[in-house]
């Protein structure tokens, strides 16, 4: 497997796209606390049907 | 590069290759933080129980003003600073929002320590409220510029964070106060202090990540439709011109009525359920109902705004006002608890959906360049509805209490009034037409950096 490069065949530097890892990390940073909050709220919501 | 220039709009322009999918997390970092305001109620009882050295304590009314002041300042600062935000750029606005919001907690912490209510008002209500207002509108126009193909989805993602902020803020505050109890520190002051620092750091993530698209940027393969709806303008309108259009005031009424109706149910969700299902619902179970409504509120913000990209904003609001009015009308007669919860949840999803769909509606009518500023002015409808909604509910409940009539008889009337408000909203939405050409900005009035695909 070849490593992705940001240099095209004609030698002109092509823009380097944001890596999937960076995008995933950004989403994890914000969704982790949100997920914690949703989990706790879902537990609280379940009380309604437990009586 | 100094901190001032780092925050400048010019230094925020994305380099080629920057993924637009990094922008929603930046916006979410801001909205998940400032959405904490809806969890402020967890501080109410601890503040009421907290006595000064001389034994004095605060009343329910005095403590209640902290939240009210924060919401009023949110609406006012969004209206006042929206125009500044368009020139300063999202990074500077987010930084100011993070500083005000974080500092607000620190000042409020000092206020609790000194048992000084004015300091808490100044901190959480004043500084915090300004941080919330600027933070709320700061990512909106940037998201719309990055997602010209899906403006509803992008703003829905961010504003969903505001709905979810309380889900983080409530357990965080409770856990912090529990942690500091018996540690020698005043638990509320210590919790405020830690939350100020934590939220500031979390919001800085948004400050560092946010970028505006380069002039002329558009998503790969995106071709603006030539057969666009008459309700989607390709022209821009200044904030002052927008305020002199009937469309602005119709949308103001649309938002105000949708929010008033939603607040009517949110405000009294737990006692309403206990009164309507007295034999079956305990206090703890009613708390679970509030949790379910929070999840629907958050989910609705994303779902309805994303759906509006396909069916149009006017149709989306028409659904809120027709389906919503019918559901509000029949809600009190639903005897089956799961069906009642589902219908109430659906209604709250439409309340949240109104908040997240309105920025895209504004963008369609007034163009994308000044959408944050126009959105900021429109949020005054929220401040008004935040007062009117609870006022209607509480006045009716007080009336029934004074007449010694069961409160279970008051709720059907309250919900029928909310249905009536939604019918009025339907007609306001129906009257919305494309903005007349005389309000459009001239091409020469648009700064080169703003000439992007809207």
């Amino acid at each position: 497997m070849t490593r992705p490069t940001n240099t095209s065949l004609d030698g002109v530097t092509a823009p380097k796209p944001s890596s999937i890892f960076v995008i995933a990390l950004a989403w994890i940073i914000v969704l982790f606390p949100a997920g914690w909050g949703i989990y706790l709220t879902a537990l609280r919501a379940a009380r309604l049907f437990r009586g | 590069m100094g901190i001032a220039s780092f925050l400048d709009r010019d230094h925020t322009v994305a380099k080629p290759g920057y993924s637009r999918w990094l922008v929603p997390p930046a916006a979410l970092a801001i909205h998940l933080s400032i959405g904490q305001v809806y969890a402020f109620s967890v501080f109410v009882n601890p503040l009421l129980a907290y006595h000064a050295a001389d034994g004095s304590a605060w009343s329910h009314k005095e403590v209640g003003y902290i939240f009210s002041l924060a919401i009023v300042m949110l609406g006012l600062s969004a209206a006042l600073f929206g125009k500044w935000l368009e020139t300063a750029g999202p990074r500077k606005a987010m930084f100011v929002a993070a500083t005000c919001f974080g500092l607000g907690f620190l000042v409020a912490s000092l206020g609790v320590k000194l048992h000084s209510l004015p300091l808490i008002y100044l901190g959480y209500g004043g500084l915090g409220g300004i941080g919330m207002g600027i933070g709320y509108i700061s990512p909106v126009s940037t998201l719309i510029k990055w997602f010209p193909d899906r403006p509803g989805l992008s703003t829905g993602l961010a504003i969903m964070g505001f709905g979810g902020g309380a889900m983080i803020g409530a357990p965080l505050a409770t856990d912090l106060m529990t942690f500091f109890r018996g540690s020698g520190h005043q638990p509320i002051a210590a919790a405020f202090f830690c939350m100020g620092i934590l939220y500031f750091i979390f919001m800085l993530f948004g400050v560092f990540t946010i970028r505006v698209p380069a002039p002329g940027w558009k998503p790969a393969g995106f071709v603006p439709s030539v057969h666009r709806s008459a309700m989607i303008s390709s022209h821009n309108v200044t904030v002052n011109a927008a305020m002199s259009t009937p469309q602005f005031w119709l949308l103001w009424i649309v938002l105000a009525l949708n929010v008033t109706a939603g607040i009517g149910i949110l405000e009294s969700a737990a006692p309403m359920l206990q009164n309507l299902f007295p034999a079956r619902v305990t206090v703890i179970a009613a708390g679970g109902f509030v949790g379910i409504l929070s999840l629907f509120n958050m989910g609705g913000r994303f779902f309805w705004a994303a759906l509006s990209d396909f069916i149009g904003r006017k149709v989306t609001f028409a659904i809120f006002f027709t389906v919503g009015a019918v559901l509000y009308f029949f809600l009190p007669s639903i005897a089956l608890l799961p069906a009642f919860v589902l219908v109430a949840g659906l209604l709250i999803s439409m309340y949240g959906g109104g908040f997240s769909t309105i920025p895209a509606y504004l963008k369609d009518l007034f163009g994308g360049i000044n959408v944050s500023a126009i959105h900021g002015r429109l949020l005054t409808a929220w401040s008004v509805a935040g007062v009117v909604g609870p006022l209607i509910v509480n006045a009716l409940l007080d009336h029934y209490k004074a007449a010694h009539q069961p409160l279970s008889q008051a709720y059907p009337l309250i919900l029928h009034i909310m249905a009536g408000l939604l019918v009025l909203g339907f007609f306001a939405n129906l009257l919305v037409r494309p903005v007349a050409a005389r309000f459009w900005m001239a091409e020469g009035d648009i700064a080169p950096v703003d000439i992007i695909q809207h």
Side-chain angles (χ1 to χ4, degrees):
Chain A
M1 197 169 74
T2 54
R3 273 170 65 86
T5 174
N6 63 340
T7 308
S8 61
L9 289 174
D10 58 4
V12 178
T13 303
K16 191 181 170 189
S18 307
S19 86
I20 293 291
F21 174 75
V22 172
I23 297 168
L25 186 66
W27 278 95
I28 288 167
I29 287 171
V30 291
L31 290 184
F32 180 74
W36 175 65
I38 291 169
Y39 169 70
L40 292 178
T41 309
L43 283 183
R44 191 169 144 224
R47 290 174 191 165
L48 178 62
F49 297 106
R50 282 207 300 263
Chain B
M1 184 168 59
I3 180 82
S5 63
F6 169 74
L7 298 172
D8 277 348
R9 190 190 180 97
D10 295 346
H11 287 115
T12 323
V13 178
K15 291 189 168 65
Y18 177 86
S19 169
R20 62 177 176 163
W21 288 102
L22 284 166
V23 182
L28 272 169
I30 302 294
H31 272 247
L32 282 168
S33 302
I34 60 174
Q36 178 279 336
V37 68
Y38 277 135
F40 186 78
S41 58
V42 297
F43 289 114
V44 171
N45 283 336
L47 284 169
L48 289 172
Y50 175 46
H51 292 258
D54 62 358
S56 64
W58 296 314
S59 70
H60 210 289
K61 207 160 125 187
E62 286 173 320
V63 171
Y65 284 146
I66 305 170
F67 173 79
S68 303
L69 186 64
I71 292 293
V72 169
M73 290 305 289
L74 186 161
L76 287 179
S77 58
L80 283 174
F81 295 109
K83 212 170 170 179
W84 165 78
L85 158 65
E86 296 293 5
T87 50
R91 183 177 283 168
K92 194 177 274 181
M94 284 180 174
F95 183 75
V96 172
T99 308
C100 287
F101 192 64
L103 204 60
F105 269 110
L106 301 191
V107 173
S109 166
L110 186 67
V112 172
K113 205 165 183 181
L114 301 175
H115 205 269
S116 162
L117 204 52
L119 261 183
I120 304 178
Y121 288 154
L122 174 74
Y124 192 86
L127 277 170
I130 292 171
M132 289 170 213
I134 298 175
Y136 192 93
I137 57 171
S138 59
V140 169
S141 70
T142 306
L143 281 164
I144 285 176
K145 284 163 193 166
W146 277 112
F147 291 85
D149 46 343
R150 293 280 178 272
L153 174 120
S154 63
T155 54
L157 268 172
I159 292 172
M160 175 181 75
F162 195 82
M167 296 184 201
I168 302 171
L172 179 65
T174 313
D175 287 357
L176 282 171
M177 284 191 286
T178 309
F179 178 78
F180 284 111
R181 201 162 288 138
S183 69
H185 297 283
Q186 207 295 326
I188 312 167
F192 272 164
F193 187 85
C194 290
M195 287 172 86
I197 304 287
L198 286 173
Y199 277 125
F200 178 70
I201 294 169
F202 194 54
M203 289 169 87
L204 278 188
F205 171 74
V207 173
F208 284 108
T209 314
I210 195 79
R211 298 282 189 285
V212 293
W217 178 89
K218 60 180 177 180
F222 172 64
V223 182
S225 169
V226 266
H227 301 293
R228 59 168 67 199
S229 154
M231 289 298 290
I232 302 175
S233 173
S234 56
H235 298 274
N236 289 282
V237 180
T238 65
V239 62
N240 291 336
M243 287 187 76
S244 54
T245 61
Q247 287 82 356
F248 176 88
W249 295 105
L250 286 168
L251 289 191
W252 194 96
I253 293 168
V254 160
L255 184 67
L257 292 173
N258 193 51
V259 176
T260 305
I263 282 180
I265 195 171
L266 266 182
E267 173 81 357
S268 54
M272 179 173 73
L273 196 74
Q274 283 173 275
N275 275 291
L276 292 175
F277 296 90
R280 277 180 282 173
V281 178
T282 62
V283 177
I284 295 171
F289 179 53
V290 178
I292 288 179
L293 293 188
S294 305
L295 291 170
F296 272 95
N297 184 6
M298 186 182 173
R301 286 168 192 251
F302 177 71
F303 173 78
W304 290 108
L307 183 71
S308 76
D309 285 335
F310 298 98
I311 63 173
R313 324 301 167 197
K314 195 170 177 175
V315 175
T316 307
F317 272 95
I319 292 173
F320 296 166
F321 290 132
T322 49
V323 177
V326 172
L327 292 181
Y328 264 113
F329 191 84
F330 289 109
L331 184 64
S333 52
I334 298 176
L336 196 66
L337 183 65
F340 183 91
V341 172
L342 185 70
V343 170
L346 195 57
L347 285 166
I348 289 305
S349 80
M350 294 182 193
Y351 160 82
F355 278 116
S356 57
T357 309
I358 208 83
Y361 207 161
L362 291 170
K363 181 257 171 197
D364 287 355
L365 290 170
F366 302 110
I369 288 183
N370 297 305
V371 73
S372 282
I374 300 168
H375 184 214
R377 301 276 170 100
L378 198 86
L379 288 180
T380 50
W382 182 8
S383 301
V384 172
V387 176
V388 174
L391 206 70
I392 296 173
V393 175
N394 293 328
L396 280 165
L397 290 176
D398 285 345
H399 173 78
Y400 272 76
K401 260 184 217 163
H404 302 291
Q405 287 179 287
L407 292 183
S408 55
Q409 287 179 15
Y411 288 108
L413 178 61
I414 290 169
L415 295 170
H416 289 163
I417 290 173
M418 300 309 166
L421 291 177
L422 291 183
V423 172
L424 292 178
F426 175 80
F427 287 109
N429 182 52
L430 197 67
L431 291 171
V432 176
R433 295 274 183 274
V435 175
R438 68 177 185 281
F439 294 107
W440 296 347
M441 284 169 77
E443 287 297 319
D445 295 340
I446 303 171
V449 72
D450 287 326
I451 305 173
I452 340 173
Q453 202 63 53
H454 291 291

